[in-house]
Amino acid sequence: MKVTFPHMGTLWVAAKAILEDLDLEVVVPPRPTTRTMNLGVKHSPEFACLPLKLCVGNYLEAFERGADAIVMAGGIGPCRFGYYAQVEREILNDLGYSYRMIVLEPPKGHLSDLVNEIKGFTGQRSLRRIYQAALFGYRKLGALDAIERRTNQVRVDEAARGGTGHAVQKATALIDRAASMDDLKTALARGLEVLDQVPRKESGDPLKIGLVGEVYMLLEPYVNLDIERQLGEMGVLVERHVYLTDWVRSHLTADFLRFDHEREMRQAAKPYLGHWVGGHGVETIGNSVLYARRGFDGVIQVAPLTCMPEIVARSLLPVVSQDHGIPFLSLFLDEHAGEAGLRTRLEAFVDLLERRREQRRRRASTLSLEVAGHSR
């Protein structure tokens, strides 16, 4: 059996490590390109959301490389992600492919279901073996998150455009090649060192923008048109509300481990959205409030066109913006979106935030002079 999976940012590094640790032959699909998107769009329903189309493209390109099994996560609730596996199965069956699809559903309190599913396609590997492989993969995710967080801090004041991108590729390759926990610690340290060696200039006090929205659109640079790079090259310090480890914790483990690492976020969202609407709608609202409280200059919501949970969140963001004084920009993207058009919108938003910050500084300066005058 040759196993593949869809791309979502750097998730492939950890997925490959886990599957290879379980002695499975892995076929990593090519990084998404225009061809990937065209294949997905050609064979998917017109109104399917963008992530589904790109996943279909990933599978077709992986089949060309010999893959005959797919591993993917399942989902629940109003978000259409819960139906991806069924829709994709129908599409691939109609195209005549012979393959096995393995869907890892969220445990929802029954960890044994997830373990049995994994045992089913790994040749009944022991629980200890599965745990060790999963832990190693999770540690790789943590290392990749650390690299991505440092990347945004470095890119905001890189001396030459593009320097950070090359360093990120080197750091990611180091994490990928790590074959043990000790190797991984060394790779992470070396990867952070590579990033810190990127020549930098003094950037002063950069604008800070928080990225919120649907997880796939935030984590996969191809579909969000590399928004973090674009903003970083404009001198903006970017932080997104979800990283790979956050997604794994909330999607696959939070329920049966019974911990709530998102309580603060949900409390922040409660005055505006007090119930679950599927996907990441509540997270979009809650984290927008939290970014405002932390003094961020603005938030950008990124979502696939027709995404219901994010449409609900979008309808509430104007109230959040008014109550907390934080501007927002909503981007609903599909396969017709282009980098040039996105850059124009981002430049306009950044310009607005810069003028707004300057006005606030002038008002603060004027108030300070008035107070000084009265005190004489």
Side-chain angles (χ1 to χ4, degrees):
M1 184 166 65
K2 297 181 179 179
V3 185
T4 192
F5 44 79
H7 272 293
M8 186 170 76
T10 52
L11 179 65
W12 67 272
V13 175
K16 172 171 164 274
I18 293 171
L19 295 170
E20 287 183 343
D21 264 9
L22 294 170
D23 297 329
L24 293 168
E25 188 172 351
V26 179
V27 178
V28 178
R31 292 294 307 165
T33 62
T34 302
R35 181 176 186 267
T36 316
M37 180 65 78
N38 289 341
L39 283 170
V41 170
K42 179 179 179 181
H43 298 293
S44 303
E46 180 181 359
F47 290 104
C49 59
L50 194 56
L52 183 142
K53 295 173 182 175
L54 200 63
C55 287
V56 170
N58 282 159
Y59 300 147
L60 295 177
E61 292 189 322
F63 288 161
E64 291 172 355
R65 296 187 173 200
D68 56 13
I70 296 169
V71 176
M72 66 170 294
I76 56 173
C79 174
R80 288 178 290 181
F81 179 55
Y83 300 101
Y84 271 26
Q86 289 71 30
V87 175
E88 290 166 355
R89 184 182 287 119
E90 292 300 318
I91 292 171
L92 298 175
N93 287 345
D94 287 347
L95 291 173
Y97 287 98
S98 176
Y99 64 97
R100 179 178 177 184
M101 179 170 278
I102 302 131
V103 184
L104 303 179
E105 300 285 358
K108 298 304 292 177
H110 302 286
L111 179 59
S112 58
D113 292 346
L114 179 61
V115 172
N116 289 334
E117 186 67 43
I118 295 173
K119 280 187 169 183
F121 73 90
T122 59
Q124 295 300 314
R125 296 288 185 272
S126 68
L127 187 59
R128 177 185 174 84
R129 182 80 181 275
I130 293 171
Y131 170 77
Q132 289 176 333
L135 181 62
F136 186 49
Y138 188 74
R139 292 281 188 265
K140 282 207 170 191
L141 289 182
L144 293 164
D145 285 353
I147 294 294
E148 292 191 11
R149 284 189 167 94
R150 184 68 63 85
T151 296
N152 285 333
Q153 294 168 353
V154 171
R155 182 178 281 131
V156 70
D157 55 5
E158 63 185 3
R161 183 174 293 183
T164 309
H166 298 303
V168 173
Q169 289 178 3
K170 289 180 184 176
T172 303
L174 288 168
I175 303 295
D176 179 36
R177 286 197 295 269
S180 67
M181 290 291 191
D182 287 340
D183 284 353
L184 185 56
K185 288 179 184 175
T186 305
L188 175 58
R190 177 60 187 144
L192 293 173
E193 190 178 303
V194 168
L195 278 167
D196 289 340
Q197 288 173 350
V198 173
R200 299 163 78 172
K201 60 186 178 184
E202 184 59 46
S203 62
D205 182 19
L207 288 173
K208 292 190 291 186
I209 292 180
L211 293 182
V212 297
E214 195 271 338
V215 60
Y216 185 91
M217 298 297 290
L218 289 175
L219 295 183
E220 176 48 57
Y222 181 80
V223 292
N224 66 34
L225 305 172
D226 220 348
I227 188 171
E228 290 183 45
R229 176 186 58 78
Q230 291 206 52
L231 286 168
E233 290 176 355
M234 294 177 197
V236 175
L237 182 59
V238 181
E239 181 180 310
R240 64 171 186 259
H241 82 80
V242 62
Y243 286 81
L244 285 166
T245 49
D246 301 319
W247 180 75
V248 171
R249 277 201 303 270
S250 63
H251 194 74
L252 292 178
T253 63
D255 187 70
F256 66 84
L257 292 178
R258 298 286 194 271
F259 66 77
D260 184 0
H261 64 281
E262 296 182 326
R263 187 171 185 277
E264 183 185 13
M265 178 278 296
R266 288 190 293 100
Q267 289 296 321
K270 196 170 184 179
Y272 308 96
L273 190 56
H275 58 277
W276 189 50
V277 294
H280 299 82
V282 173
E283 286 90 335
T284 292
I285 296 301
N287 284 294
S288 295
V289 174
L290 294 180
Y291 280 131
R293 290 177 182 170
R294 291 172 56 197
F296 274 59
D297 296 282
V299 293
I300 296 179
Q301 177 195 25
V302 186
L305 190 67
T306 72
C307 175
M308 187 279 289
E310 293 301 327
I311 289 173
V312 172
R314 170 63 181 81
S315 70
L316 298 167
L317 278 176
V319 186
V320 173
S321 175
Q322 186 172 17
D323 288 353
H324 295 273
I326 186 165
F328 73 95
L329 171 67
S330 289
L331 298 170
F332 283 79
L333 306 175
D334 66 4
E335 62 270 26
H336 303 295
E339 185 167 331
L342 176 65
R343 191 170 187 88
T344 300
R345 296 185 67 185
L346 294 178
E347 287 174 343
F349 187 60
V350 169
D351 185 54
L352 180 149
L353 297 182
E354 285 175 341
R355 284 188 285 117
R356 182 173 179 272
R357 178 188 271 192
E358 183 59 30
Q359 288 171 355
R360 294 171 72 177
R361 283 176 174 163
R362 286 179 183 170
R363 279 199 297 269
S365 176
T366 303
L367 183 61
S368 176
L369 290 173
E370 289 176 356
V371 170
H374 285 299
S375 65
R376 289 195 188 105

